Amino acid sequence: MTTLLAMDWGPLWLTMQLAGVTVVVLLALGTPLAWWLAFTKSRMRTPVEAVVALPLVLPPTVLGFYLLTAMGPHGPVGGPWKAFTGSALSFTFTGLVIASTLYSLPFVVQPLQGAFEAVGTKPMEVARSLRASRLDAFFTVASPMALRGYVSAIVLGFAHTLGEFGVVLMVGGNIPGVTKVLSIAIYDHVESLEYTQAHVLSAALLVLSFLILTIVYAINRRLPVRAA
Amino acid sequence: MRQLTARFRCDYPGVRFDIECALPLEGTTALCGVSGSGKTTLLRWIAGLPPAASGFLSFAGDVWQDDARKIFVPIERRRVGVVFQEPLLFPHLNVEDNLAYGMKRTPPSHRRIAFEQVIEMLGLAPFLQRRTQRLSGGEQRRVSIGRALLTSPQLLLMDEPLAFLDQERKREIFPFIGWLNRELGIPVVYVSHDLNEVLQLARHVVLMKRGSIAAAGPVQDIFARPDLPELAESNVVGAVLDTRIAEHEPQFGLTRVEFFGRSLFIPQQDLPVGASLRIQIPACDVSVTTDLQPASGSALNVLEATVVEIGQTPGNGHAVDVTLDAGRPLLARITRKSCQRLNLNVGQKVHAHFKAVALHS
């Protein structure tokens, strides 16, 4: 019990923040991207789909390495960023959000794309024939019909960001309160042979992930199947 | 007269569209033709739905599409109602919210049709709070028609709205389409491959064939033309007449109808005297005599007529189609042998004997 109270829970809080912000960013970016992938007839569709899926197959260290290079003070993204804001992106929370967004992209885009494809174009056509603008029809017809896809996307995106390690280590390093997330903290504890703390944090992550997934599957089961 | 003018020219794999037509904006206009002839595509272009096509489209003078001037009015601003082939109700909304979806998005100044009016006409009151998944196919269809109507459209486009419905359900919806025209003055453009349905519902017909217009005109003219294989090969070819009920003769089980001062007898109808009734005289039920003595046969309906044209029946080498002028065009399908024996010639006076059937709408 004393261990629990004496523990530094900062990494857990930071992890939740990172996962939450990442999911919000991913929904904002992933929705139009998934919509485009679901309905475009462009030839670019296949290469874009492949790019979106890359984080699934690349070792996180590869992704992390490229991101580190790009976001460093002299990198193509980090350089201009530093000129604007005065600090580079690497080893910052913002940098972590960008890295996590790319890393978790397929986990959000793929369920959304599948849901939009299942809804199809017809309900949108009906809505627009009923005087709804494109955006109105999207929010009042296509999104509610793709609700299950959204639930999956949010959960997978959140859970996947929680468990991130390699990319974070490469891009964020290990700065307490800024980039030291749960997985890094656990690694740290193990390195310094603090097995008790490692146990507590690991168990916390395990239970948390299990709870989230259980709640989501329970909700999802109760949602009516809409698309199909 | 108010018209919808459409000109579209474009190539798709397997079909080249070359469409030029002017549809009258009154009553029901049927777009018909075999599947693949492009009728649904034309309907979608009128609505402003994909596939994109280049062309020109105007509705009663308002230009909806003109690629030369880069004009394209999006569907939500065309004020058309669309009834799709499937009901496509929104599954996340109940029946009432489905019905109200378009109405809420129609400015009050444009609303000409009351919610209650549509509910009553379509008999939807018992279902309003129900989930759409719990409706039968016919009920879903009625909701989808009501939903489109509640936007008070200036044109109603229907893509086979009666497909997959049984006869009884069709009979429920038929009068409703007529009511739209009469009471609300909403013109309807209606896609159908069922020529019997077209005969009953439509005032104008556009017959499509492989991406272009094979024939267009009032239903009476189109169905009396023997030169259109789509019609000629079916049993629906024959004159169509709009008549009035003149009197009933219940002792004979007959009803006398009048058109242009002439009388015809048809099996007794359950309609009041003075009511209008569309009847058809199928070409295969018309026989021709050159003996001009009146009342010499058992047929009740005899009209004096002039032979206008004699032509080969498409798809039947042993029959000929004789176009007659009896005040209105009349079409007789007789055997080649009879034609030779009677020695029919263009311009000759004949008597046409026939049976007529009522077309209920």
Side-chain angles (χ1 to χ4, degrees), chain B residues 37 39 80 96 115 130 165 171 175 188 269 296 339 344 351:
Chain B
S37 56
K39 47 196 195 304
V80 292
E96 186 172 11
F115 192 77
R130 221 178 270 184
L165 288 185
R171 261 197 291 275
V188 178
Q269 300 298 309
S296 62
C339 183
L344 289 182
H351 270 170

Side-chain angles (χ1 to χ4, degrees), chain A residues 8-23 93 96-97 100 157-165 168 177-186 201 205 208-209 212:
Chain A
D8 177 12
W9 291 101
L12 178 62
W13 173 231
L14 188 67
T15 305
M16 301 297 270
Q17 274 182 307
L18 177 63
V21 173
T22 302
V23 164
F93 184 75
L96 270 196
V97 170
S100 310
F158 191 87
H160 191 245
T161 309
L162 280 190
E164 182 177 338
F165 179 73
V168 176
V178 181
T179 60
K180 187 178 186 172
V181 295
L182 204 55
S183 55
I184 306 273
I186 293 168
L201 285 184
L205 193 55
L208 185 66
S209 305
I212 292 175

Side-chain angles (χ1 to χ4, degrees), chain B residues 59-354:
Chain B
F59 176 92
D62 295 342
V63 176
W64 280 355
Q65 182 178 350
D66 184 354
D67 290 280
R69 288 189 284 156
K70 298 216 183 320
I71 296 174
F72 187 88
V73 178
I75 177 169
E76 63 267 28
R77 289 202 271 116
R78 292 187 182 193
R79 295 176 54 207
V80 292
V82 186
V83 179
F84 293 84
Q85 218 172 88
E86 304 134 52
L88 293 170
L89 302 183
F90 301 134
H92 58 296
L93 301 178
N94 69 13
V95 171
E96 186 172 11
D97 292 339
N98 263 279
L99 287 166
Y101 187 92
M103 194 178 73
K104 281 188 206 154
R105 288 163 174 79
T106 305
S109 57
H110 285 171
R111 291 183 201 161
R112 290 183 297 136
I113 305 172
F115 192 77
E116 294 70 28
Q117 198 179 6
V118 169
I119 302 305
E120 195 197 319
M121 184 64 208
L122 289 170
L124 295 173
F127 312 124
L128 287 182
Q129 297 309 318
R130 221 178 270 184
R131 298 185 57 85
T132 57
Q133 294 87 337
R134 311 221 8 227
L135 300 182
S136 73
E139 287 158 1
Q140 290 192 16
R141 190 74 49 131
R142 273 144 64 198
V143 175
S144 77
I145 295 175
R147 185 174 63 174
L149 275 180
L150 282 165
T151 61
S152 302
Q154 46 182 350
L155 172 66
L156 188 65
L157 303 168
M158 303 177 108
D159 189 359
E160 307 236 17
L162 306 180
F164 316 117
L165 288 185
D166 54 35
Q167 278 305 325
E168 200 170 324
R169 292 283 159 229
K170 281 187 190 179
R171 261 197 291 275
E172 269 180 33
I173 309 239
F174 264 167
F176 188 70
I177 295 176
W179 174 80
L180 287 176
N181 290 159
R182 278 192 312 276
E183 301 300 318
L184 303 173
I186 299 178
V188 178
V189 175
Y190 169 83
V191 165
S192 179
H193 68 275
D194 181 340
L195 293 171
N196 280 307
E197 211 173 277
V198 170
L199 209 46
Q200 293 182 52
L201 280 174
R203 203 185 295 181
H204 302 273
V205 180
V206 175
L207 187 63
M208 295 195 61
K209 189 176 177 182
R210 287 199 296 274
S212 36
I213 309 263
V219 66
Q220 292 89 338
D221 295 357
I222 299 294
F223 277 83
R225 275 178 65 175
D227 60 320
L228 300 169
E230 292 81 359
L231 296 173
E233 284 169 21
S234 67
N235 56 357
V236 296
V237 69
V240 176
L241 303 171
D242 286 313
T243 66
R244 300 179 75 76
I245 307 266
E247 71 177 306
H248 296 294
E249 294 184 3
Q251 68 275 32
F252 298 119
L254 292 172
T255 290
R256 186 168 68 81
V257 297
E258 282 180 348
F259 76 103
F260 284 104
R262 295 154 199 258
S263 287
L264 295 179
F265 289 94
I266 57 172
Q268 188 164 353
Q269 300 298 309
D270 190 18
L271 285 169
V273 169
S276 56
L277 180 70
R278 176 175 285 184
I279 64 167
Q280 195 193 18
I281 304 170
C284 47
D285 289 342
V286 179
S287 61
V288 174
T289 60
T290 46
D291 172 14
L292 297 185
Q293 291 302 309
S296 62
S298 66
L300 282 168
N301 296 319
V302 182
L303 286 177
E304 205 169 287
T306 315
V307 177
V308 177
E309 199 183 335
I310 303 172
Q312 177 67 50
T313 299
N316 182 349
H318 304 299
V320 291
D321 287 330
V322 182
T323 309
L324 302 166
D325 178 7
R328 303 294 297 165
L330 207 61
L331 191 68
R333 177 164 291 175
I334 59 176
T335 61
R336 176 175 294 285
K337 186 180 170 97
S338 318
C339 183
Q340 248 171 35
R341 209 177 54 201
L342 292 170
N343 193 21
L344 289 182
N345 290 305
V346 170
Q348 191 175 355
K349 292 255 184 269
V350 295
H351 270 170
H353 304 243
F354 54 86

